[in-house]
Amino acid sequence: MKTLNDFNFKNKKALIRVDFNVPLNDRFEVTDTTRIVSAKPSIIKILEDGGSCILMSHLGRPKGIQDQFSLKHIVSTVEDILGVGVIFVNQCVGEKAQQAAANLQPGQILLLENLRFHQEEEAGDEIFAKQLSKLGDIYINDAFGTAHRAHASTTIVAKFFEENKAFGNLLAKEIESIKKVMETGEKPVLAILGGAKVSSKITIIENILDKVNHLIIGGGMAFTFVKAQGGKIGNSICEDDKIDLALAILKQAKDKGVQVHIPIDTIAADAFSNDANTQTVAINAIPDGWEGVDAGPKSIAQFREVVMQSKTILWNGPLGVFEMERFAQGTIELGNAIAEATKNGAFSLVGGGDSVAAVKQFGFQDKVSYVSTGGGAMLESLEGKTLPGIAAILE
Ligand code: AMP
């Protein structure tokens, strides 16, 4: 796997696909800088070598050129984080962009305008990709968040660089972390899947059954499995059309020797509200009119034990409706256990959508081994798919 550390960038212009698709408030201030901070190591390495950086990214979902989606809004934040001035050009292809790239000196950073101002970006247009490729000498992909898309800047552009292309530090770290869970992880390997829907995780479950020793199924997803096994789940969320599938998964897991852990008890609420009345009940005996909204104490204790035995841990999806304070306990306790196991030497990877939000909300991001920066890209990797942005570098 070629990374940017295999190159010396002295007097070279690195064309870097970063993921600066950051949230902005109504005053156009960046409200979460994680993605910019994550891109810093690659950029600094190139500058320290004596090279220059041409940064390209998308921001939001513009329809044509729309000022509110201009990357000009993030320039000062990028400068603050990198500690280096940033030249901004209001094009990503065209004469101005070419001129700005041609004038770029070692040690300088150029930020191009939003790639998605051109519909050719998402269409994976070759001519557009070729125009982008003319701007730099070496192509670096450091945007995991878009690596599952075959867009011009994430995938197609790579073909114009032959040998001169590599993964940035961030993307390399993402790939290594996933590999540690899926291939090289020390056993026992545990996957924890929570969240709302079986249907959105089904391909992941099927793929990881060959890789893990333990599987915890929690959150709203668990109720489809409980109902499949004949339990009474009251008003809990359930995908009735996935019941047969749930049974098939349990059988597959048994055949493959994977130990599946489903919650034993649950916090049941009489409404989907933080102010609801609650009671702790067995997961398979939820009274009519009540719904399971968080893992119960027995389940948490059991999950904790599994976590503490595991040497490699993947966590995707919360154990309850963590957005409501009273139903966040299961998710917090699970985070605590994973943090403790990590401290004791386990490798822990958190990724995919809401688990990342939960980890950040409860301050676990520095207590686990790695928090993935890509939602969809992470889920597709766990499904066993080869991401086009990654394949394009390896080709
Ligand atoms: P996902 O995007 O599939 O990872 O699902 C995340 C969502 O699952 C979060 O918004 C949680 O509130 C929700 N969730 C977790 N547990 C439950 C539950 N028992 N009932 C309803 N929603 C849940």
Side-chain angles (χ1 to χ4, degrees):
M1 192 170 89
K2 212 161 168 188
T3 75
L4 87 175
N5 296 315
D6 296 314
F7 289 90
N8 186 330
F9 288 87
K10 193 168 171 54
N11 294 323
K12 297 282 184 216
K13 289 175 181 151
L15 177 66
I16 317 177
R17 178 49 158 106
V18 287
D19 182 3
F20 283 177
N21 182 30
V22 288
L24 302 177
N25 63 19
D26 50 13
R27 279 173 297 166
F28 298 107
E29 293 157 343
V30 179
T31 54
D32 183 347
T33 58
T34 310
R35 287 175 169 169
I36 302 172
V37 173
S38 307
K40 184 173 175 176
S42 294
I43 295 168
I44 297 299
K45 138 83 185 164
I46 291 162
L47 297 184
E48 282 180 354
D49 271 4
S52 55
C53 296
I54 302 164
L55 307 179
M56 54 178 178
S57 178
H58 76 284
L59 176 66
R61 296 170 186 267
K63 294 192 172 56
I65 298 173
Q66 286 183 289
D67 190 71
Q68 75 258 41
F69 295 110
S70 171
L71 280 164
K72 71 182 180 193
H73 301 302
I74 73 164
V75 171
S76 60
T77 308
V78 177
E79 287 181 327
D80 288 348
I81 290 169
L82 299 180
V84 184
V86 170
I87 303 163
F88 174 73
V89 59
N90 65 351
Q91 282 188 341
C92 56
V93 292
E95 211 156 293
K96 269 202 222 167
Q98 278 169 27
Q99 204 58 53
N103 292 340
L104 202 65
Q105 299 300 313
Q108 290 187 322
I109 299 174
L110 174 67
L111 176 64
L112 304 177
E113 183 54 288
N114 195 338
L115 294 157
R116 291 197 189 167
F117 281 179
H118 300 260
Q119 52 107 14
E120 290 89 340
E121 162 65 358
E122 286 179 272
D125 184 85
E126 286 225 2
I127 297 166
F128 179 73
K130 194 169 182 182
Q131 282 177 292
L132 291 173
S133 75
K134 297 261 186 259
L135 303 174
D137 305 308
I138 300 170
Y139 170 66
I140 302 295
N141 190 351
D142 212 15
F144 182 63
T146 48
H148 59 315
R149 305 281 183 227
H151 294 168
S153 70
T154 63
T155 303
I156 313 301
V157 70
K159 72 168 73 160
F160 299 104
F161 287 89
E162 292 189 10
E163 296 298 302
N164 285 334
K165 57 187 172 186
F167 296 110
N169 280 322
L170 172 66
L171 187 41
K173 225 166 159 185
E174 295 275 0
I175 296 169
E176 271 161 30
S177 301
I178 292 166
K179 203 168 162 191
K180 260 191 189 164
V181 172
M182 307 292 270
E183 292 173 37
T184 58
E186 196 182 334
K187 289 186 165 50
V189 180
L190 160 68
I192 305 155
L193 295 179
K197 287 188 173 168
V198 180
S199 47
S200 64
K201 307 275 162 89
I202 185 66
T203 323
I204 298 181
I205 301 182
E206 285 173 338
N207 186 45
I208 59 173
L209 281 182
D210 287 322
K211 334 238 179 234
V212 303
N213 307 102
H214 292 271
L215 173 64
I216 290 177
I217 297 175
M221 217 168 80
F223 296 104
T224 302
F225 287 84
V226 174
K227 189 168 176 183
Q229 292 175 304
K232 268 186 68 206
I233 60 165
N235 284 356
S236 307
I237 57 168
C238 178
E239 287 166 276
D240 283 323
D241 59 334
K242 295 289 176 292
I243 285 195
D244 290 342
L245 194 61
L247 287 175
I249 288 170
L250 293 174
K251 168 142 196 332
Q252 267 181 51
K254 200 169 171 209
D255 294 346
K256 290 177 196 265
V258 178
Q259 284 193 50
V260 179
H261 309 270
I262 292 171
I264 314 160
D265 56 353
T266 185
I267 309 297
D270 62 358
F272 192 71
S273 152
N274 201 39
D275 305 320
N277 296 306
T278 60
Q279 55 174 319
T280 304
V281 294
I283 195 113
N284 57 3
I286 303 174
D288 290 339
W290 294 70
E291 62 189 294
V293 286
D294 197 6
K298 284 185 195 154
S299 310
I300 293 173
Q302 189 208 15
F303 292 169
R304 187 184 164 78
E305 218 170 276
V306 182
V307 167
M308 296 313 289
Q309 288 170 23
S310 301
K311 290 276 176 255
T312 303
I313 303 162
L314 164 73
W315 181 19
N316 171 275
L319 286 193
V321 187
F322 74 99
E323 298 92 336
M324 296 182 197
E325 199 191 335
R326 284 177 64 218
F327 312 137
Q329 204 54 35
T331 302
I332 294 174
E333 297 278 353
L334 178 68
N336 279 330
I338 296 174
E340 209 177 311
T342 309
K343 211 170 156 192
N344 293 344
F347 175 81
S348 53
L349 166 62
V350 183
D354 276 321
S355 25
V356 174
V359 158
K360 282 188 185 166
Q361 185 176 325
F362 305 124
F364 290 121
Q365 66 267 45
D366 299 324
K367 298 179 183 158
V368 296
S369 309
Y370 194 69
V371 180
S372 175
T373 57
M378 173 74 181
L379 297 179
E380 289 196 19
S381 301
L382 298 176
E383 287 174 357
K385 291 187 187 145
T386 306
L387 310 187
I390 292 175
I393 298 285
L394 297 174
E395 263 161 25

